[in-house]
């Protein structure tokens, strides 16, 4: 019982047995009149076993067989460092074998197999993570991903308040870190986003501090105006 000339190979992984004959991957073939038994199998799928009754009126009939993939469940939770759910967080899963992509932000059923995963957020303020995940038949995988905010970039300008000229030298204190600046400017390429109290101090000017809010992933430029340290001169004028 060979397949007809119109045979079509749709998936080399599909195994078809027709009346006991193996016809791998072939989807169009001759069936004799009467009852015919068809078995369809594929790795990681629930196969099909059934019979077709063919009579003279069923020339070139089409039979649609559905095989269902084995699945497992992913229980997903994406949070920030305070363990608060990131409402716009999501993951993209790529099945290593089939290259099929799935995007989800909640619990979902997935075909069995190994997935490459990218975890990110729609607002693009968190650092993207990558992972690998294995889904097994009827299994449940619980995954919790903790995303960190992207750092910010801070550009500081330190000038004298009376003439806006750059302060030659000094120090910048951010949290527990200290940076020395020259010619009134310093760039901190990576600083945690959020609100910081930043101090500027030096021998030539009075210490000043300001609160600066930094947005994740953005560059913030901030100018500090400082007062010069000047001595007091007493002038006495007398008449002779």
């Amino acid at each position: 019982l060979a397949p007809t000339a119109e045979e079509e190979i749709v998936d080399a992984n599909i195994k078809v047995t027709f009346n006991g004959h193996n016809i791998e991957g072939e989807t169009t073939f001759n069936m004799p009149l009467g009852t015919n038994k068809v078995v369809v199998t594929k790795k990681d799928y629930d196969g099909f076993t059934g019979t077709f009754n063919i009579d003279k009126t069923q020339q070139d009939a089409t039979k649609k067989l559905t095989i269902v993939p084995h699945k497992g469940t992913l229980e997903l939770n994406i949070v920030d460092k305070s363990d608060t759910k990131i409402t716009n967080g999501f993951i993209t899963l790529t099945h290593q074998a089939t290259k099929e992509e799935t995007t989800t932000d909640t619990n979902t059923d997935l075909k069995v197999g190994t997935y490459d995963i990218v975890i990110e957020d729609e607002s693009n303020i968190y650092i993207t993570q990558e992972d690998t995940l294995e889904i097994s038949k009827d299994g449940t995988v619980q995954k919790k991903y903790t995303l960190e905010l992207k750092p910010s970039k801070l550009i500081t300008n330190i000038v004298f308040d009376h003439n806006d000229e750059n302060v030659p030298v000094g120090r910048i204190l951010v949290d527990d870190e200290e940076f020395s600046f020259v010619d009134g400017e310093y760039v901190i390429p990576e600083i945690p986003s959020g609100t910081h109290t930043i101090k500027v101090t030096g021998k030539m000017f009075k210490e000043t501090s300001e609160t600066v809010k930094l947005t994740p992933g953005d560059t913030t430029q901030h100018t500090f105006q400082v007062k010069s340290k000047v001595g007091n001169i007493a002038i006495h004028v007398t008449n002779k």
Side-chain angles (χ1 to χ4, degrees), residues 83-223:
D83 209 34
T84 301
K85 180 178 175 61
I86 300 175
T87 56
N88 59 2
F90 66 95
I91 65 173
T92 301
L93 308 99
T94 303
H95 196 285
Q96 289 186 354
T98 66
K99 305 306 178 185
E100 294 178 60
E101 282 194 2
T102 303
T103 300
T104 183
D105 60 359
T106 186
N107 299 345
T108 188
D109 291 334
L110 298 166
K111 293 180 181 178
V112 300
T114 304
Y115 291 82
D116 295 321
I117 299 179
V118 178
I119 308 101
E120 50 196 329
D121 68 297
E122 291 180 2
S123 56
N124 199 30
I125 63 173
Y126 290 92
I127 299 173
T128 298
Q129 290 187 21
E130 295 182 357
D131 194 15
T132 302
L133 179 68
E134 186 75 28
I135 296 293
S136 58
K137 181 182 178 182
D138 299 327
T140 298
V141 178
Q142 295 178 326
K143 295 295 291 187
K144 180 179 180 180
Y145 295 104
T146 302
L147 300 185
E148 294 186 5
L149 288 169
K150 291 181 177 180
S152 302
K153 180 178 180 180
L154 176 62
I155 300 175
T156 60
N157 298 98
I158 301 94
V159 299
F160 289 113
D161 65 342
H162 63 283
N163 59 9
D164 282 340
E165 290 185 358
N166 289 345
V167 176
V169 292
R171 291 175 295 135
I172 301 171
L173 289 82
V174 182
D175 301 328
D176 296 327
E177 293 191 79
E178 182 177 305
F179 309 92
S180 298
F181 68 84
V182 178
D183 197 24
E185 182 177 288
Y186 191 84
V187 177
I188 305 175
E190 288 193 3
I191 180 172
S193 55
T195 302
H196 298 267
T197 299
I198 299 177
K199 294 181 180 180
V200 180
T201 184
K203 293 182 178 180
M204 301 179 63
F205 56 90
K206 297 179 181 179
E207 180 178 291
T208 186
S209 65
E210 294 184 24
T211 299
V212 179
K213 186 175 182 179
L214 305 177
T215 303
D218 283 353
T219 298
T220 299
Q221 187 161 347
H222 191 83
T223 299

Side-chain angles (χ1 to χ4, degrees), residues 11-30:
D11 189 336
N13 295 313
I14 293 178
K15 311 298 181 184
V16 180
T17 301
F18 168 55
N19 289 341
H21 297 269
N22 187 14
I23 46 177
E24 297 183 7
E26 300 159 2
T27 58
T28 303
F29 43 86
N30 293 326

